Amino acid sequence: MLSASSFLPVPELVAQSDCVALVPRLLVEARDEQLLFVAPPLPVEGFAIGMFWHERSDGHAGFRWVREFIALVADSRASTLTG
C-alpha cells in the first residue's frame, strides 16, 4: 500500500509496480500504452479542487490574472467533460 499527497505521481507508481489506483481519468488517458484503464465498479463521487495563495499576493494584478486564467481553463474543461 502506498499513499501520495497528490494524484500526479500515482500513474508512474502504478506503471512500475503491481499496484492499482483510483485516479481521475484525465490523468491516465494519455498513458494507455503503459496502463490499463478500467471504470470503477461503483459510482465515484467527485471532489473539490481549490486554489490557495498568500494574502500578500491577493491584490497583485499578475497573480490575479493567473488565478483567473486557471479558473477559466478549469471551468471550460469541466464543461467539456459534463456537456
Side-chain angles (χ1 to χ4, degrees):
M1 178 168 60
L2 299 170
S3 177
S5 62
S6 165
F7 285 122
L8 295 178
V10 174
E12 188 64 29
L13 292 169
V14 170
Q16 296 180 18
S17 70
D18 61 351
C19 294
V20 297
L22 181 63
V23 297
R25 182 185 335 205
L26 293 175
L27 192 61
V28 295
E29 282 181 337
R31 302 193 61 167
D32 60 350
E33 292 178 10
Q34 298 171 313
L35 300 170
L36 175 63
F37 172 76
V38 178
L42 302 170
V44 177
E45 191 174 318
F47 56 92
I49 298 175
M51 289 190 287
F52 302 93
W53 57 90
H54 194 280
E55 64 185 34
R56 181 176 51 229
S57 65
D58 193 50
H60 189 280
F63 288 132
R64 185 172 44 249
W65 179 87
V66 169
R67 291 191 302 267
E68 290 170 357
F69 182 73
I70 291 170
L72 177 69
V73 170
D75 287 344
S76 67
R77 185 67 177 167
S79 66
T80 301
L81 294 174
T82 59

